[in-house]
Amino acid sequence: MTTDQDLAELGQQFRVDAVRATATAGSGHATSSMSAADLMAVLLDRHLRYDVNWPAHPGNDRLILSKGHASPLLYAMFKAAGLITDEELLTFRELGSRLEGHPTPRLPWVDVATGSLGQGLPVGVGMALAGQRLGEVPYRVWVLLGDSEMAEGSVWEAFEAAGYERLSSLTAIVDVNRLGQRGPTRHEWDLEAYGRRARACGWHTVEINGHDPKAIDAAYAEAASVTDRPTVVIARTLKGRGVAAVENREGAHGKPVPDAEEAVAELGGERRLNVEIRPPAATTAPRRPPETPVTLPRFEVGDKAATRDGYGQALAALGSAREEVVALDGEVSDSTRAEFFAKEHPDRFFECYIAEQQLVAAAVGMQVRGWTPFVSTFAAFLTRAHDFLRMAAVSRAGINLVGSHAGVAIGQDGPSQMGLEDLAMFRAIHESTVLYPCDANQTARLVVAMADASGVRYLRTSRGATPVIYGPDERFPIGGSKVLRGGDGDGDAVTLVAAGVTVPEALAAADRLAADGIRTRVIDLYSVKPVDAMTLRAAAEETGCLITVEDHRPQGGLGDAVLDAFADGRPVPRLVRLAVTTMPGSASPEEQLHEAGIDAASIVEAARRAVA
Amino acid sequence: MTTDQDLAELGQQFRVDAVRATATAGSGHATSSMSAADLMAVLLDRHLRYDVNWPAHPGNDRLILSKGHASPLLYAMFKAAGLITDEELLTFRELGSRLEGHPTPRLPWVDVATGSLGQGLPVGVGMALAGQRLGEVPYRVWVLLGDSEMAEGSVWEAFEAAGYERLSSLTAIVDVNRLGQRGPTRHEWDLEAYGRRARACGWHTVEINGHDPKAIDAAYAEAASVTDRPTVVIARTLKGRGVAAVENREGAHGKPVPDAEEAVAELGGERRLNVEIRPPAATTAPRRPPETPVTLPRFEVGDKAATRDGYGQALAALGSAREEVVALDGEVSDSTRAEFFAKEHPDRFFECYIAEQQLVAAAVGMQVRGWTPFVSTFAAFLTRAHDFLRMAAVSRAGINLVGSHAGVAIGQDGPSQMGLEDLAMFRAIHESTVLYPCDANQTARLVVAMADASGVRYLRTSRGATPVIYGPDERFPIGGSKVLRGGDGDGDAVTLVAAGVTVPEALAAADRLAADGIRTRVIDLYSVKPVDAMTLRAAAEETGCLITVEDHRPQGGLGDAVLDAFADGRPVPRLVRLAVTTMPGSASPEEQLHEAGIDAASIVEAARRAVA
């Protein structure tokens, strides 16, 4: 058993290593690491339970460094635990090193990337929910936050959610070092300012001196002993603690200390302490019944059905076949149709209320623990979680997002409710998949396909009923498309590229054009990313002109996606882009499509001009 | 003077009109309007001070319907105040009507669009800050919130900011009707749950029965009497109050009542009450000195300077010339260089801490009051405010956003800090302007240009110093570009289209290609939206191939922007897109550009392939 003095030494070792790593790199956050060194020393040595040889061990505690800029501290911990060598420690921030400026899962002991502040606690809520509500697995979730990030609303979405859900396995540790990047924080060392807010949200709070190992140890023990609510340990610390040149000084953020050698000496020199992390409690992974074939809903060709209904029914069916599927919704499950899943699988449904950042973060936390989350809300409101989606990609997270009420086609509710920028947002997410079905059978198939894909997957659904044009047995691979008219040679004069609600419009337009003797090819580009380059290129060669039609802004959506098939120097066809260039008001769905210039009549007009 | 009984009657009139408007429209939120009818009746008749004939009157109180779906209530108020006729009321949600499903500034008495929840209070904070800190104008800001939106983190960013800034002119009114869209809210009628949280943030709280005019009146008077902090009136109400078929019932959200005629009768029939709104206190607009010419910083050609420095210095200069310019930053003003402005104009600088939603919302609120805000943070973290930016466009707001630390060029800090999706996000915002300068003089000029533009304007700046290639007197109109190499006929074999940090890379590439005998045109496309279609088309015709090079994801950025010049059916040149397709780690800026394939060497290679 280590003594409190040993713990103090371990804290100093972390400081020394943070100083050394940042000095070698010539950049990085030394002082932010030093303030939290004692907090992490006590956690690593006395409280964390983790099998370092099996990071995915179901009983492993989770540690999230929400203040990701303190990465040198985390890497110093990994070194003390024997996970990396001192040599690797000193590769910090070098090209090719796993030890990036902010932690990412390139390191097997890092579950999620951090560095955009205010994300660690919401993700931790997802992990704790998975442990307490899904698996009854006795791991604890520890999240180290900085005081600056307490200003982020997402942190308070997490306080609210964790308090309400009584997530006693979750412990937040706030490193109140008083200084943000460019000066004092709002509340400086007023620990009680944070305490009041946390208690108001139903948390247990402990306020301590964050440099007193005994007090830290007692606080963590207290946190573990509180079984009906989460605990936040609010620790008063000194930024740059232990090195007079930077301790509690402004202007020392985000850089090495001025004289590393002197600082190391001041900290008592290098140490070679090793920590034996305690193993997790003996436990087994949640046993799941074997996967069974999915019995998808079947819609009749010629009927009408909303793609959001296809989504809800397919998700419920997928949930029956696969026990690892969970659903989360932002208080609109009656609209998104996630309620179909909620009714059949209430134990695996999470009502996240109107807090989209927490909604997405919870999913990121759950996928770390082996669950397959489907997140739904209005497409427009997923923009609220843009930064979390961006970071999910850095985290190499596998999550499914479903945005309903896309486009002007929603009708009377008006622009605040219309997802008109969602395709642009999701296309720009690294290695994302973006799907936009036009009928309910296609939707159902894509729900299964996306569940098996990797990375951030997005499905865009529509509010109103649209004609079922595909049979229930048709297949829709990701990256594919469907040629619905023409395509049997080069007799087609023009190609219409549509997706979602514009597919029926394009088909109607093709019929009218055919009556005029204009043979038209129609492509259903349901896979917006990746796009079916081969089909688009064939259409380009054979018809010479592609008209894209989308219920989305002209930027970043279907029209731009088509360019993916041609942006490598090969000949590009003529392109005409029909998209929503107006600011819509209220109107019926049909009126909206017409006003935006993306209905059948508008397409006919554009096609006539194109072939003239 | 009206009696309490008159107020009750006015509330009933609002309910009747909400029932009628939604019934006529066949959609809309009747029950959400009915719960807050008494709260708004008392406000309109007894407390709001507003010159209806002069919405921009500097002394006018501001009213924000944060629960924008209760628009029928707002329109009923406008009718009672004589601003719209009963006939217009019944155009609710019709094509062309100003009375949209959710309020927008198409109505002169609506300052900002609402309907995406959790935005009204943060915007109100901006308005109150403008009144209290900038103008000392004695108006009050009233914000009506629903209880469901209290789950949004942005609301708590606003509680935090307003409490800290002691915005006593701000009153939040929470309509706690217990029911969200699909069922009960987290806290149902636990008013104290909200009260605890608000008091923890430094607010004064009053809990009342939201259907008791006397209690409401007293609460608003109390709010006005508290001079050292903001007040929140937390009102227990009944959703659908007054109509038994829907009152306090689930499943009645977002739709007309089942039998409007019966409901109107139950509510006591139609009434024709008129309200004379009290005029604002006699006041004058803040007197501003006349604008003077801007003395921009001048950088020497051949020197090196970071565009973020150009931004900070130009903004400080603009602030000296124009008293209406204000700056807001998200606790990174030392990095964005907004600190240059803060030092010269501390009274017009707002430290918003790490809360990007509140940051952008404050700017939206300030521009309503005639200020010209510049908002800055890292480009990556502006994604946090995506929904607010989207709604700013619906609000027809004029705001300037500046995102620093764009792209992989930041170097060692890694992907969490890199803005790689910002161009896609801003391009998709309706009627936005997107600028991406490559040198400090260009940046300075663009700062002035964007200040005079309309809508959402975005400027992307870079961390590292880059060569100054333009003289300080060069002009850079929005929508323009600069041809830096070639362009004097059709002898150019290929065109490089660059912006920001890729401009020096493209120039270096052109030099190397010239040495190989490949004449290359280089376009600095600093105006990403709108793009200079004429110059791009000329390059297309004369060189046949455009290579775009951008420090951004391949989706939605520079490469896609070029398509704007060709997406109308005219011949498209061959296109090659160089962009960041990898997941970067840490590395030096030069290594990052090379790894991403957007440095001079990569461009040379691509150009050689293109002309082969």
Side-chain angles (χ1 to χ4, degrees):
Chain A
M1 185 66 178
T2 47
T3 65
D4 293 344
Q5 183 53 37
D6 296 336
L7 290 172
E9 282 294 302
L10 186 60
Q12 289 297 81
Q13 173 169 315
F14 290 171
R15 290 188 178 93
V16 167
D17 283 348
V19 165
R20 293 171 61 235
T22 51
T24 307
S27 71
H29 298 73
T31 57
S32 302
S33 298
M34 293 157 81
S35 59
D38 299 310
L39 293 167
M40 291 299 98
V42 178
L43 183 70
L44 190 72
D45 189 66
R46 296 249 176 112
H47 294 271
L48 192 74
R49 306 191 66 158
Y50 196 91
D51 184 339
V52 296
N53 297 313
W54 184 15
H57 189 299
N60 274 356
D61 282 358
R62 318 314 303 186
L63 168 62
I64 305 176
L65 190 78
S66 188
K67 51 176 288 184
H69 53 287
S71 55
L73 171 60
L74 188 70
Y75 305 149
M77 294 167 70
F78 290 167
K79 181 191 138 185
L83 303 178
I84 62 170
T85 62
D86 191 66
E87 197 181 357
E88 184 170 7
L89 178 75
L90 298 182
T91 67
F92 179 51
R93 288 176 165 244
E94 277 178 15
L95 174 65
S97 170
R98 299 186 296 176
L99 309 192
E100 299 187 27
H102 297 76
T104 74
R106 289 176 70 190
L107 288 160
W109 319 283
V110 174
D111 289 327
V112 288
T114 49
S116 178
L117 290 171
Q119 301 211 5
L121 194 63
V123 171
V125 166
M127 293 179 181
L129 273 173
Q132 287 187 227
R133 269 194 50 192
L134 288 171
E136 293 179 31
V137 188
Y139 59 80
R140 298 193 63 76
V141 180
W142 307 88
V143 182
L144 177 67
L145 295 93
D147 46 352
S148 278
E149 64 182 305
M150 299 294 274
E152 281 286 7
S154 57
V155 170
W156 296 100
E157 292 182 9
F159 268 97
E160 175 74 13
Y164 179 77
E165 299 277 356
R166 298 191 167 276
L167 298 180
S168 57
S169 64
L170 177 65
T171 304
I173 305 162
V174 187
D175 175 24
V176 186
N177 65 24
R178 194 186 70 84
L179 292 172
Q181 171 174 324
R182 52 78 267 161
T185 59
R186 241 182 208 136
H187 301 295
E188 303 205 27
W189 274 323
D190 181 3
L191 304 191
E192 187 50 16
Y194 303 113
R196 271 196 308 276
R197 288 161 175 74
R199 283 193 300 279
C201 293
W203 285 55
H204 178 67
T205 64
V206 193
E207 296 171 18
I208 58 167
N209 170 359
H211 299 307
D212 175 355
K214 199 186 292 288
I216 300 168
D217 189 32
Y220 295 165
E222 186 174 326
S225 75
V226 175
T227 56
D228 67 340
R229 59 188 61 204
T231 295
V232 55
V233 177
I234 307 166
R236 179 185 159 120
T237 63
L238 291 166
K239 197 160 177 173
R241 157 88 169 187
V243 174
V246 293
E247 186 178 282
N248 194 30
R249 284 181 196 266
E250 292 192 34
H253 178 93
K255 50 179 85 153
V257 302
D259 186 328
E261 214 169 303
E262 190 181 280
V264 170
E266 192 177 349
L267 290 163
E270 289 185 41
R271 295 158 178 82
R272 310 220 176 281
L273 300 172
N274 294 309
V275 174
E276 190 80 38
I277 303 180
R278 298 192 312 155
T283 186
T284 53
R287 273 166 311 171
R288 291 176 188 145
E291 186 180 321
T292 59
V294 190
T295 309
L296 285 178
R298 299 174 71 85
F299 300 88
E300 289 297 315
V301 173
D303 281 1
K304 283 190 141 198
T307 54
R308 59 175 171 152
D309 284 317
Y311 167 65
Q313 293 185 38
L315 185 66
L318 189 68
S320 300
R322 302 190 191 175
E323 288 283 326
E324 85 279 9
V325 170
V326 297
L328 307 91
D329 191 275
E331 222 277 303
V332 287
S333 55
D334 52 338
S335 287
T336 60
R337 307 305 201 219
E339 68 179 3
F340 297 155
F341 182 98
K343 276 174 194 156
E344 286 193 36
H345 314 288
D347 51 320
R348 283 184 276 141
F349 176 76
F350 296 84
E351 177 55 71
C352 295
Y353 298 94
I354 306 182
E356 293 81 5
Q357 297 182 87
Q358 177 59 69
L359 172 67
V360 170
V364 171
M366 288 177 181
Q367 61 86 36
V368 167
R369 307 307 295 134
W371 300 92
T372 301
F374 279 77
V375 167
S376 51
T377 184
F378 283 28
F381 305 143
L382 284 170
T383 57
R384 210 65 168 250
H386 190 165
D387 196 37
F388 283 78
L389 296 165
R390 181 181 76 84
M391 289 298 294
V394 185
S395 292
R396 286 72 168 166
I399 53 174
N400 303 283
L401 290 307
V402 180
S404 71
H405 293 66
V408 300
I410 65 165
Q412 288 83 354
D413 268 339
S416 65
Q417 317 294 302
M418 294 170 175
L420 285 169
E421 302 84 5
D422 54 322
L423 295 178
M425 176 175 76
F426 278 105
R427 279 184 66 244
I429 301 291
H430 184 60
E431 295 191 340
S432 63
T433 299
V434 180
L435 307 169
Y436 184 18
C438 67
D439 92 346
N441 282 324
Q442 190 182 39
T443 307
R445 290 283 175 182
L446 290 176
V447 168
V448 178
M450 73 194 288
D452 291 329
S454 64
V456 174
R457 291 93 83 173
Y458 177 57
L459 181 83
R460 186 184 216 221
T461 66
S462 302
R463 178 174 177 272
T466 46
V468 177
I469 63 170
Y470 296 110
D473 297 316
E474 183 110 15
R475 298 296 171 130
F476 303 93
I478 290 173
S481 69
K482 293 285 173 182
V483 178
L484 294 173
R485 290 278 193 285
D488 35 16
D490 53 8
D492 302 332
V494 62
T495 302
L496 306 177
V497 183
V501 295
T502 61
V503 170
E505 302 297 325
L507 291 173
D511 291 344
R512 286 187 225 170
L513 290 164
D516 291 358
I518 302 172
R519 277 179 56 182
T520 307
R521 185 173 304 185
V522 177
I523 298 176
D524 170 11
L525 200 71
Y526 63 84
S527 181
V528 178
K529 183 183 173 195
V531 292
D532 182 352
M534 208 182 301
T535 298
L536 291 171
R537 288 174 190 157
E541 275 170 36
E542 291 162 13
T543 74
C545 179
L546 269 52
I547 301 178
T548 59
V549 200
E550 60 191 307
D551 193 356
H552 185 273
R553 293 292 177 201
Q555 297 86 12
L558 200 68
D560 285 358
V562 165
L563 196 58
D564 287 343
F566 302 99
D568 57 356
R570 69 182 69 215
V572 188
R574 286 186 301 129
L575 296 168
V576 176
R577 185 162 55 189
L578 303 183
V580 182
T581 56
T582 55
M583 177 55 77
S586 286
S588 72
E590 298 71 29
E591 289 167 337
Q592 296 278 17
L593 292 179
H594 184 69
E595 291 288 310
I598 55 172
D599 66 343
S602 310
I603 300 169
V604 166
E605 212 175 295
R608 282 194 186 127
R609 267 199 309 271
V611 300
Chain B
M1 185 66 177
T2 47
T3 65
D4 293 346
Q5 182 53 37
D6 294 335
L7 290 172
E9 281 295 300
L10 186 60
Q12 290 295 81
Q13 173 170 313
F14 291 169
R15 291 187 177 92
V16 167
D17 283 347
V19 165
R20 292 172 61 235
T22 50
T24 307
S27 71
H29 298 72
T31 57
S32 302
S33 298
M34 294 157 81
S35 59
D38 299 310
L39 293 167
M40 290 299 99
V42 177
L43 183 70
L44 191 72
D45 189 64
R46 295 248 176 113
H47 295 271
L48 192 75
R49 305 190 67 158
Y50 197 91
D51 183 339
V52 297
N53 297 314
W54 185 14
H57 188 299
N60 272 356
D61 283 359
R62 317 315 304 184
L63 168 62
I64 305 177
L65 190 78
S66 188
K67 50 176 291 185
H69 53 286
S71 57
L73 171 59
L74 188 69
Y75 304 148
M77 293 166 71
F78 290 167
K79 181 190 137 186
L83 303 178
I84 63 170
T85 62
D86 192 66
E87 198 181 355
E88 184 170 7
L89 178 76
L90 298 183
T91 66
F92 179 52
R93 289 176 165 247
E94 278 180 12
L95 174 64
S97 171
R98 300 186 296 177
L99 309 192
E100 299 187 27
H102 297 75
T104 75
R106 289 176 69 189
L107 288 159
W109 318 283
V110 174
D111 290 327
V112 289
T114 49
S116 178
L117 290 171
Q119 302 211 3
L121 195 62
V123 170
V125 166
M127 292 180 183
L129 273 173
Q132 287 187 227
R133 268 195 51 193
L134 289 171
E136 294 178 32
V137 189
Y139 59 79
R140 297 193 65 76
V141 181
W142 307 89
V143 182
L144 177 67
L145 296 94
D147 47 352
S148 278
E149 64 182 305
M150 299 294 276
E152 281 287 7
S154 57
V155 171
W156 296 99
E157 292 182 7
F159 267 98
E160 174 75 12
Y164 179 77
E165 299 276 358
R166 298 192 167 276
L167 298 179
S168 57
S169 64
L170 178 65
T171 305
I173 306 162
V174 188
D175 174 25
V176 186
N177 65 25
R178 193 186 70 84
L179 292 172
Q181 170 174 325
R182 54 79 267 164
T185 60
R186 243 181 205 136
H187 301 297
E188 304 205 26
W189 275 323
D190 181 2
L191 303 191
E192 188 49 16
Y194 302 113
R196 269 196 310 276
R197 289 159 174 75
R199 282 194 301 279
C201 293
W203 285 54
H204 179 66
T205 64
V206 192
E207 296 172 18
I208 58 167
N209 169 0
H211 299 307
D212 176 354
K214 199 185 293 287
I216 300 168
D217 189 33
Y220 295 165
E222 186 174 327
S225 74
V226 176
T227 57
D228 67 341
R229 60 189 60 203
T231 295
V232 55
V233 177
I234 308 167
R236 178 185 160 121
T237 63
L238 291 165
K239 197 161 178 172
R241 157 87 168 189
V243 174
V246 293
E247 185 178 283
N248 195 28
R249 283 179 196 268
E250 292 190 35
H253 178 93
K255 50 179 86 154
V257 302
D259 186 327
E261 212 169 305
E262 190 179 282
V264 170
E266 192 178 350
L267 291 163
E270 289 184 41
R271 294 157 178 85
R272 311 222 175 277
L273 300 172
N274 293 309
V275 174
E276 190 80 37
I277 302 180
R278 296 192 314 155
T283 187
T284 52
R287 273 167 310 171
R288 290 175 190 147
E291 186 179 322
T292 58
V294 189
T295 310
L296 285 179
R298 298 173 73 85
F299 300 89
E300 288 298 313
V301 173
D303 283 359
K304 281 191 143 197
T307 54
R308 58 175 172 153
D309 284 318
Y311 166 66
Q313 294 185 37
L315 185 66
L318 190 68
S320 300
R322 301 190 191 174
E323 288 282 326
E324 84 278 10
V325 170
V326 297
L328 307 91
D329 191 275
E331 222 276 303
V332 287
S333 54
D334 52 338
S335 288
T336 61
R337 304 305 200 220
E339 68 179 3
F340 298 155
F341 182 98
K343 276 172 194 155
E344 288 193 33
H345 314 287
D347 51 319
R348 283 183 276 141
F349 177 75
F350 295 84
E351 177 54 72
C352 294
Y353 298 94
I354 306 182
E356 293 81 5
Q357 296 182 87
Q358 177 59 69
L359 172 67
V360 170
V364 171
M366 287 176 181
Q367 61 87 34
V368 167
R369 306 306 296 133
W371 300 92
T372 301
F374 279 77
V375 167
S376 51
T377 184
F378 283 27
F381 305 142
L382 284 171
T383 57
R384 210 63 168 253
H386 191 165
D387 197 35
F388 283 77
L389 296 165
R390 181 181 76 84
M391 288 299 292
V394 184
S395 291
R396 285 75 168 164
I399 53 174
N400 302 284
L401 291 306
V402 180
S404 71
H405 293 67
V408 300
I410 65 163
Q412 288 84 354
D413 267 340
S416 66
Q417 317 295 302
M418 295 171 174
L420 285 169
E421 303 84 4
D422 53 322
L423 295 178
M425 176 175 76
F426 278 105
R427 280 184 66 244
I429 300 291
H430 184 59
E431 294 190 341
S432 63
T433 298
V434 180
L435 306 170
Y436 183 19
C438 67
D439 91 348
N441 282 324
Q442 190 182 42
T443 307
R445 291 282 175 182
L446 291 175
V447 168
V448 179
M450 73 193 289
D452 291 328
S454 64
V456 174
R457 291 93 81 172
Y458 177 58
L459 181 84
R460 188 184 215 222
T461 66
S462 301
R463 177 174 178 275
T466 47
V468 177
I469 62 169
Y470 295 111
D473 297 316
E474 183 111 16
R475 300 295 172 130
F476 304 93
I478 290 173
S481 69
K482 293 285 173 184
V483 179
L484 294 173
R485 289 280 193 285
D488 36 16
D490 54 6
D492 301 333
V494 63
T495 301
L496 306 178
V497 183
V501 295
T502 61
V503 169
E505 302 297 326
L507 290 173
D511 291 344
R512 285 187 225 171
L513 290 164
D516 291 0
I518 301 172
R519 278 179 55 181
T520 306
R521 185 171 304 184
V522 177
I523 298 175
D524 170 12
L525 200 70
Y526 64 84
S527 181
V528 178
K529 182 185 174 194
V531 292
D532 182 354
M534 208 181 300
T535 299
L536 291 170
R537 286 173 190 157
E541 276 170 36
E542 291 162 13
T543 75
C545 179
L546 269 51
I547 301 179
T548 59
V549 199
E550 60 190 308
D551 192 357
H552 185 272
R553 292 294 178 201
Q555 297 84 13
L558 201 68
D560 286 359
V562 166
L563 196 57
D564 288 343
F566 302 99
D568 56 356
R570 72 184 66 216
V572 187
R574 286 186 301 129
L575 296 167
V576 176
R577 187 162 53 192
L578 303 183
V580 182
T581 56
T582 55
M583 177 55 76
S586 287
S588 72
E590 299 70 30
E591 289 167 338
Q592 295 279 17
L593 292 178
H594 184 70
E595 291 289 309
I598 55 172
D599 65 343
S602 309
I603 299 169
V604 167
E605 211 176 296
R608 284 197 185 123
R609 267 199 310 271
V611 299

